[in-house]
Amino acid sequence: MNSPTSSADRSCDVLVAGTGLAGLTAAIAFARAGFDVVSCGADERVARGRTVAMLDRSVAYLESLGLWPAIRGDAAPLRILRIIDDTGALLPPRPLEFHASEIGLDAFGWNVENDRMASALAVEANRTPGLERMSLAVARYDFSGDRALARLDDGRLIACALVIGADGRDSRARRSAGLPARPHRYPQRALTALLTHRLAHGDASTEFHTRNGPFTLVPLPPREAAPNRSSLVWLMSDDEARRRESLEGSAVEREIERQARSILGAMRLEGPPGFFAMSRQVVPKITSERLALVGDAAHLFPPIGAQGLNLGLRDVKAIAACAVDARDEGLDIGGETVLRGYERARRTDIFIRTAAVDGLNQALLARFAPIDLARGAGLAALGAIGPLRRLIMREGVAPRLAR
């Protein structure tokens, strides 16, 4: 780019690239910590039945930023997590239930539609002092100087001390910095949908383990004329996804109800379902000169175990805390100390979650009796051994082992 910092059209402390859920949260978090922030990117909307289940610690972080009240009215609590084996294994484990009350929580977390949460965060971002939103993407970066330079699509140049790359799996910030990514495509696609149903969900999220991956129903809050609502994430083979994509809505509804064993009664789609290829992506190094990656730019998961956004929010919390500490000590917020500290803080958590999600998915896809027996024995142990079950629940909600 070869543009000197002095010629920049705008100078700021932090530039956040990407306006998805992690990106908007990062922009607000830095601004509310007292930094001068520019948020770049067009509003992102995903629709097609996509929701996010935010675990208790994520909700607490949003609460600390003053964001949760704007989201709470569109979210439903998850007080029970239920796992049902539907793999056809020779010795299937009994259904297993986890209750939030067993570890002293009102709920494990809350489920909310992506687009409603994005809209709420956008409103909060627009009224946050110290945060300027620009609805343009960054075309080019230059990380070679004592300030990072970002050239927007309209030609404007922004200089900053730190870039937060929250621009998704194909992150331009990551590619501009030369950070490699290792993608892996699973032989699956996910059907996502918003549903109304005849019976109440009782604040319980139910996950059926099938040979093609999990089939998960997650509570949603009621709406007028629709008191019982849930979201669905259904992993299936590519062939089954193509077949279901061609079906009429009523036929898809019948197949959903059949796979759910009618536990919620008759199902109705609120809108067209979405179909998404399943993949994971590992980014071995999530920092570079004046750049920190968060969210899908730093790690990508299939929608299993509610890990994606929860991990992204922990990224945001960690990098913001490192920057605040550096500022308070008179250090460069985009310098090596901050970036090394952030990389160290996040490495183990990301590794553990990546391995756990991939391991569960691969165990379901494998048609190998010893793996079935090991998986069944593990679920049986969780059902029978209270201290182990509570340890796993606490670790799932608020990771401690990684720290």
Side-chain angles (χ1 to χ4, degrees):
M1 194 180 300
N2 297 321
S3 297
T5 301
S6 59
S7 67
D9 300 288
R10 173 78 158 86
S11 182
C12 63
D13 297 321
V14 180
L15 182 144
V16 179
T19 55
L21 301 181
L24 285 172
T25 304
I28 295 168
F30 275 95
R32 293 190 175 174
F35 294 101
D36 180 18
V37 180
V38 171
S39 168
C40 292
D43 287 343
E44 296 183 19
R45 297 292 183 269
V46 295
R48 294 284 183 169
R50 303 292 292 272
T51 67
V52 288
M54 289 173 293
L55 300 177
D56 178 73
R57 290 296 87 199
S58 294
V59 172
Y61 181 54
L62 294 172
E63 187 85 65
S64 74
L65 296 175
L67 298 175
W68 182 240
I71 301 167
R72 169 68 180 82
D74 291 316
L78 312 179
R79 295 191 168 97
I80 301 171
L81 303 180
R82 182 183 299 124
I83 296 175
I84 299 173
D85 186 275
D86 198 19
T87 61
L90 182 61
L91 296 172
R94 296 174 59 186
L96 179 63
E97 285 193 357
F98 300 92
H99 293 258
S101 59
E102 193 174 352
I103 54 172
L105 296 178
D106 175 57
F108 289 112
W110 297 73
N111 192 40
V112 62
E113 295 171 44
N114 281 50
D115 288 354
R116 287 180 175 260
M117 181 172 173
S119 295
L121 291 177
V123 170
E124 292 296 317
N126 288 334
R127 63 190 186 196
T128 297
L131 170 54
E132 180 180 359
R133 295 192 64 201
M134 298 182 179
S135 58
L136 292 164
V138 178
R140 299 191 306 280
Y141 292 93
D142 184 348
F143 295 108
S144 63
D146 59 357
R147 301 272 283 175
L149 299 175
R151 180 76 69 179
L152 302 186
D153 282 339
D154 67 352
R156 278 181 291 176
L157 184 66
I158 300 175
C160 63
L162 175 65
V163 173
I164 302 298
D167 48 346
R169 69 175 70 191
D170 297 319
S171 170
R172 180 169 289 170
R174 184 187 67 234
R175 289 184 280 115
S176 296
L179 294 175
R182 298 199 297 263
H184 173 78
R185 170 77 162 87
Y186 291 102
Q188 299 158 289
R189 292 174 72 191
L191 181 159
T192 59
L194 305 181
L195 304 167
T196 62
H197 38 83
R198 184 173 60 85
L199 303 176
H201 50 58
D203 298 336
S205 175
T206 302
E207 181 170 292
F208 290 87
H209 287 177
T210 81
R211 277 300 179 202
N212 290 312
F215 169 101
T216 308
L217 293 162
V218 190
L220 281 174
R223 287 187 186 168
E224 189 175 352
N228 302 316
R229 303 174 63 240
S230 293
S231 63
L232 169 67
V233 179
W234 186 1
L235 269 64
M236 60 190 69
S237 68
D238 289 327
D239 289 342
E240 282 296 284
R242 283 189 289 269
R243 181 183 68 79
R244 292 187 172 112
E245 204 166 7
S246 68
L247 296 177
E248 295 290 332
S250 58
V252 175
E253 290 167 348
R254 288 192 295 272
E255 295 204 8
I256 292 172
E257 182 182 347
R258 183 164 56 248
Q259 178 58 61
R261 299 186 184 179
S262 297
I263 62 170
L264 297 178
M267 299 281 191
R268 294 291 179 268
L269 291 166
E270 288 191 355
F275 290 86
F276 303 90
M278 287 296 94
S279 60
R280 77 169 187 270
Q281 184 164 276
V282 175
V283 180
K285 194 171 187 300
I286 60 172
T287 62
S288 185
E289 295 294 329
R290 301 205 170 274
L291 171 66
L293 302 176
V294 303
D296 287 354
H299 40 71
L300 184 68
F301 297 100
I304 297 173
Q307 292 303 313
L309 180 61
N310 290 285
L311 206 62
L313 293 180
R314 294 202 291 276
D315 297 339
V316 171
K317 183 178 181 181
I319 185 59
C322 288
V324 167
D325 288 345
R327 179 191 62 192
D328 293 348
E329 294 173 14
L331 301 176
D332 181 355
I333 66 167
E336 183 181 355
T337 299
V338 169
L339 298 172
R340 187 172 59 243
Y342 172 61
E343 184 96 38
R344 184 171 58 247
R346 299 301 302 133
R347 184 182 298 119
T348 304
D349 188 20
I350 293 171
F351 173 79
I352 289 174
R353 303 294 151 169
T354 300
V357 169
D358 183 61
L360 172 59
N361 197 38
Q362 298 287 10
L364 292 175
L365 293 175
R367 296 177 180 272
F368 188 49
I371 293 178
D372 282 343
L373 288 171
R375 182 171 51 82
L379 290 174
L382 290 177
I385 305 172
L388 176 62
R389 181 173 63 255
R390 289 186 286 275
L391 172 65
I392 294 299
M393 285 192 283
R394 292 191 185 97
E395 183 63 21
V397 171
R400 294 190 176 99
L401 294 178
R403 296 201 297 270

